[in-house]
Amino acid sequence: MVSLALAFLAGAATCAIWRAGLIDSLQAAFVVNVNPGEVPLQSPQPWLGLLLIVAISMSAGFFVSRVGARRSFPILGFGFLAMAVASLLASRQLKVDILFAPMAVGSVGAVFLVQLQRLWLIDTVLTAHVDRVATRADRIEPSLAQARLTGGLKLLQTILPLEEAVVFHPDEDGGALVPGARLRANSSEPLEAKRNSIWRRLIQLCDQAVRTNEIKLAPAGQIDSFESVALPLRHEGQTVGALLLRLRESFDESDRRLLSSVGSQVARNLQREQARKKRLDGNLPAFVSSRTSGHRLHAFDVISGVLTEHRFGAQILAEASDGYAIAYLDGTLAYVNPAMAWAARMNENEIQKLDLFGLLDCFRSGVFDEPSIAVRRVLQSGETYQRELKFADRNQTLELRIALATERHGSGLNGNGSAATPLCLAIRIRDVTRMKEFEQLKSDMISLMSHELRTPLTSINGFSELLALNDKIPEESREFLQIISNESQRMSRMIDTFLSVTQLERGDKQEVTKIALRLDEAVRETVTAMQPIAKKKRIRLLEQGNGRIPPVAADKSLITQAIAKLLDNAIKYSPERTAVTVSTVLEAEAVRVIVEDRGYGVPAESIDRIWEKFYRVARDGQEKDEESTGLGLAFVKEVVEQHGGTVAVESEVGRGSKFSFALPRL
Ligand code: ADP
């Protein structure tokens, strides 16, 4: 519609010009002149003429808007040529003027306007796109941009004997260089008095560097006592400023390469800052507004800078010891790092020819025999696929991980209604051979402890007890034998606790058989069993019932051991003639067992660590004669967490502790 209106406008304007007689001479050029005395040329009626001109203009405009300029121009050109010939012939033979000139002017005007409008539309969209991409790609805040500039200078300070560094950028009119970010080694500035003349010469040096596009040096003594180095800052083939360095020692040529690399980063940052300052505030078509065009150019440079920096990500992955590959959703490999190529046993050329499945085929093994199934599962469910692959032939264990990288969109109104769009697949290969070896070693050690240590301990314990009963042995020696027996028993208890913790950690779930268990009953049984130990220390062990308690799903033996461990600790870490109370209470979703004592308590600095394996609180004089391994609470925590529960502790030194655990009720 807009095209038709514009074409109509062109036609109407031409009519006006024609009627005003402004194109008479042009009109005369396309008709054969009439000799004096002959019949004058016949023209169509004015209204018919106007109609013809407008109709032809609109058709030409419509044609261009539909077919496009490139295809319509030859056809229109040919049409004009034919009509010009027709006009000449008609005027000569029929003595009729077919109004070729006004029609041609109208059509050309219409075509021009329509084409201009098409370009304007495309240009507006392009400007908007470039602008959006540039803002999205470059999200650093203005303050951060400045910080990045100074950060770059600080980095230079670590490699060069810098006295001062200044980033110059062209002023608003794009002419003279003005200082921007600055870094000074010495905050006191001795040169301030002579500054002006020196300053001018330094700027001249920068100007020279910018003009010649080369690093310019002014040795110490030429401008002042420092050596000055001016480096042109270029981004995308354009000079965006200059970097001036003032050095205490002379510039080492070997630093030149590094300096230009840091310079390009500074240039990118500087360009970004300039682009941000020239933010677009209007929406003018670029081909009539140099400001908009300039903005678009800046935005484009920002994008190209960000693209350059994005490449660094891949470079970092090249340094990783794990193998990484990125695959697009069409199965093409976007990136494969050297570690991945090594794990796949391929060289760089071979890898380049591979696609996703080609790569995964390199890792086919017993548990991973159909890569396409794994990929399909990841794509469909979005869940990460992870497997350990054993390659007996090369004595290697690799961990393969295939994950779907996604991008979260706008958080939505309720904050979590966002949908994730799949972007690409990330494949990781980790060599876990050594780790597996360590695990094997650990499990060998555990089995060594459980069998090889326990067997001799049983003999030591058994024989020492037997000997202790022997009357022929002197009283003093029997006392020693009793100590041997007690200590060996202690050692085997320690081994037992250690084994239970490691076994639970390994997640030998088959040993955890859950049944519906009443925790208050388990508590009662344990309290009864522990009474003798409590009595020995004259501790009153009380159980507090709390009405009806619903059952939980638990392994009775493990939970009883956990309660016993808490009771044992409460007795162990309390002075004589105190009380230990055990209660079972019902909470909203859980049943909690609480063991409370009036004992020594746990110091605040240790409270977070007591659940750790082998952690023991150092309490003067107490620790030595107690049977302490630092494994009891670790065991309790492991058991409770395996049941989906939580542990808790409150304690105050000298007043007592309150240990508890809660299991979800059935
Ligand atoms: P241990 O076998 O040494 O008792 P635990 O893991 O059971 O190992 O306990 C770790 C540490 O926590 C112990 O060294 C002890 O000092 C402290 N602790 C545990 N329970 C209590 C308690 N009821 N009162 C005071 N300290 C305790």
Side-chain angles (χ1 to χ4, degrees):
M1 283 313 285
V2 180
S3 311
L4 275 181
L6 286 170
F8 175 79
L9 208 71
T14 315
C15 289
I17 296 169
W18 170 56
R19 293 307 292 164
L22 292 178
I23 47 172
D24 281 356
S25 50
L26 189 68
Q27 200 175 351
F30 288 97
V31 288
V32 177
N33 278 335
V34 185
N35 294 325
E38 283 184 24
V39 189
L41 284 183
Q42 294 246 311
S43 281
Q45 296 283 321
W47 64 267
L48 187 64
L50 294 180
L51 208 66
L52 261 176
I53 295 169
V54 171
I56 290 286
S57 306
M58 285 179 73
S59 317
F62 184 71
F63 188 51
V64 171
S65 77
R66 271 293 140 117
V67 182
R70 204 160 52 92
R71 274 193 287 163
S72 57
F73 276 7
I75 300 170
L76 286 177
F78 182 74
F80 282 149
L81 211 66
M83 276 180 66
V85 174
S87 169
L88 286 171
L89 286 178
S91 59
R92 188 191 158 101
Q93 304 298 346
L94 309 172
K95 303 288 176 216
V96 175
D97 182 358
I98 62 165
L99 301 182
F100 169 70
M103 282 196 300
V105 170
S107 311
V108 169
V111 167
F112 177 73
L113 282 184
V114 168
Q115 185 62 7
L116 202 66
Q117 189 247 351
R118 293 178 70 215
L119 289 179
W120 182 80
L121 275 183
I122 295 170
D123 200 79
T124 317
V125 175
L126 180 66
T127 307
H129 280 196
V130 172
D131 200 37
R132 203 177 55 233
V133 175
T135 355
R136 201 175 52 198
D138 181 40
R139 288 223 177 97
I140 35 171
E141 297 300 318
S143 56
L144 207 64
Q146 188 68 25
R148 278 183 72 163
L149 276 176
T150 348
L153 299 185
K154 278 204 189 116
L155 191 80
L156 272 181
Q157 204 172 22
T158 61
I159 40 173
L160 296 172
L162 259 194
E163 176 63 27
E164 183 172 8
V166 190
V167 176
F168 284 94
H169 57 87
D171 64 7
E172 288 293 297
D173 318 318
L177 288 176
V178 287
R182 228 171 220 224
L183 188 80
R184 250 178 238 174
N186 266 326
S187 45
S188 61
E189 183 48 62
L191 280 165
E192 210 54 70
K194 297 191 283 172
R195 191 96 192 157
N196 276 345
S197 68
I198 293 174
W199 193 242
R200 253 199 310 280
R201 291 174 66 188
L202 288 174
I203 292 190
Q204 268 170 13
L205 190 72
C206 290
D207 271 332
Q208 262 178 35
V210 167
R211 253 198 326 276
T212 55
N213 193 20
E214 276 171 15
I215 297 183
K216 288 280 166 208
L217 277 174
Q222 189 176 325
I223 296 182
D224 62 357
S225 57
F226 297 115
E227 174 157 309
S228 302
V229 181
L231 171 85
L233 296 176
R234 286 176 70 79
H235 176 64
E236 282 299 308
Q238 284 186 37
T239 307
V240 287
L243 175 64
L244 175 73
L245 305 173
R246 318 245 297 130
L247 307 175
R248 285 188 296 275
E249 289 158 31
S250 72
F251 178 63
D252 190 343
E253 279 301 315
S254 61
D255 288 334
R256 200 178 265 265
R257 252 200 25 219
L258 191 63
L259 185 62
S260 22
S261 307
V262 178
S264 1
Q265 180 67 55
V266 175
R268 277 196 294 276
N269 294 342
L270 190 62
Q271 193 276 327
R272 260 175 222 169
E273 212 189 74
Q274 286 172 10
R276 192 171 294 105
K277 277 188 192 144
K278 294 191 175 154
R279 264 276 121 88
L280 189 70
D281 44 15
N283 210 359
L284 291 167
F287 49 87
V288 292
S289 157
S290 65
R291 216 173 82 76
T292 322
S293 296
H295 164 78
R296 203 165 53 183
L297 195 62
H298 274 296
F300 187 80
D301 285 347
V302 169
I303 296 172
S304 100
V306 171
L307 282 180
T308 308
E309 284 167 11
H310 271 193
R311 275 212 318 268
F312 302 169
Q315 292 304 320
I316 302 286
L317 283 184
E319 300 293 322
S321 55
D322 289 343
Y324 286 101
I326 301 166
Y328 295 134
L329 293 184
D330 61 2
T332 322
L333 286 176
Y335 175 76
V336 176
N337 77 344
M340 177 65 92
W342 180 82
R345 309 190 145 205
M346 298 233 165
N347 63 30
E348 221 173 275
N349 287 336
E350 288 167 324
I351 278 282
Q352 267 169 9
K353 291 186 201 124
L354 285 185
D355 64 355
L356 170 66
F357 291 108
L359 178 72
L360 291 180
D361 277 344
C362 302
F363 300 105
R364 270 181 196 264
S365 71
V367 290
F368 186 65
D369 55 349
E370 206 34 85
S372 58
I373 295 181
V375 171
R376 195 175 60 215
R377 200 183 311 161
V378 174
L379 284 174
Q380 281 174 344
S381 66
E383 276 167 26
T384 303
Y385 175 94
Q386 192 161 330
R387 285 284 182 285
E388 232 161 59
L389 316 177
K390 286 199 177 65
F391 298 95
D393 52 332
R394 41 178 143 145
N395 201 11
Q396 206 179 29
T397 312
L398 299 178
E399 185 193 87
L400 167 74
R401 189 174 186 273
I402 308 174
L404 186 65
T406 55
E407 184 182 40
R408 293 220 155 262
H409 290 300
S411 52
L413 283 180
N414 49 9
N416 53 13
S418 53
T421 314
L423 295 179
C424 60
L425 285 165
I427 297 107
R428 190 188 72 192
I429 285 281
R430 178 169 283 176
D431 190 344
V432 288
T433 318
R434 293 277 289 161
M435 210 174 78
K436 289 283 135 191
E437 280 170 10
F438 284 135
E439 268 174 22
Q440 188 55 44
L441 195 69
K442 189 175 144 196
S443 91
D444 288 352
M445 282 199 39
I446 290 168
S447 77
L448 177 102
M449 277 180 84
S450 53
H451 305 296
E452 313 297 313
L453 287 185
R454 240 193 320 204
T455 322
L457 266 181
T458 322
S459 312
I460 295 171
N461 183 29
F463 288 121
S464 56
E465 270 187 350
L466 258 179
L467 281 175
L469 294 175
N470 193 339
D471 294 341
K472 289 184 201 133
I473 294 177
E475 182 66 21
E476 197 188 35
S477 307
R478 268 194 283 167
E479 224 174 84
F480 292 159
L481 282 169
Q482 195 56 51
I483 294 174
I484 295 176
S485 155
N486 287 348
E487 289 298 294
S488 59
Q489 273 176 28
R490 183 160 93 93
M491 199 158 166
S492 69
R493 272 199 301 276
M494 275 162 74
I495 292 176
D496 284 348
T497 323
F498 178 72
L499 286 177
S500 338
V501 176
T502 41
Q503 210 162 42
L504 276 172
E505 268 191 348
R506 273 193 307 184
D508 289 347
K509 300 254 163 56
Q510 67 272 25
E511 299 213 353
V512 183
T513 39
K514 289 185 185 165
I515 52 157
L517 177 73
R518 289 272 307 270
L519 280 181
D520 49 345
E521 283 173 15
V523 164
R524 199 162 307 132
E525 278 173 29
T526 323
V527 166
T528 315
M530 299 290 287
Q531 284 299 359
I533 303 174
K535 277 219 174 78
K536 252 195 230 164
K537 236 181 141 181
R538 300 193 197 169
I539 283 177
R540 271 195 309 144
L541 187 51
L542 305 168
E543 191 237 331
Q544 277 181 359
N546 248 339
R548 248 197 90 74
I549 300 289
V552 295
D555 181 312
K556 186 171 180 192
S557 146
L558 286 176
I559 289 293
T560 315
Q561 283 181 56
I563 301 172
K565 193 67 222 165
L566 289 182
L567 285 179
D568 188 46
N569 276 353
I571 297 168
K572 214 158 55 173
Y573 301 113
S574 292
E576 288 193 356
R577 294 177 207 281
T578 52
V580 171
T581 323
V582 198
S583 41
T584 319
V585 292
L586 176 62
E587 292 181 346
E589 297 292 326
V591 181
R592 184 175 290 277
V593 174
I594 306 165
V595 178
E596 221 173 336
D597 63 54
R598 303 258 163 272
Y600 312 126
V602 184
E605 65 271 16
S606 304
I607 203 106
D608 290 334
R609 299 198 55 195
I610 48 170
W611 304 100
E612 283 173 22
K613 246 187 291 171
F614 300 113
Y615 184 80
R616 294 183 299 176
V617 179
R619 200 178 291 112
D620 328 310
Q622 301 293 336
E623 222 173 336
K624 246 188 162 177
D625 39 25
E626 275 163 12
E627 196 179 288
S628 189
T629 54
L631 285 169
L633 289 179
F635 172 77
V636 174
K637 186 166 185 269
E638 201 59 52
V639 168
V640 170
E641 285 180 355
Q642 281 227 352
H643 283 79
T646 52
V647 290
V649 57
E650 286 167 36
S651 185
E652 203 179 318
V653 175
R655 309 205 93 192
S657 320
K658 191 168 149 183
F659 283 82
S660 72
F661 67 84
L663 298 185
R665 56 177 285 188
L666 266 182

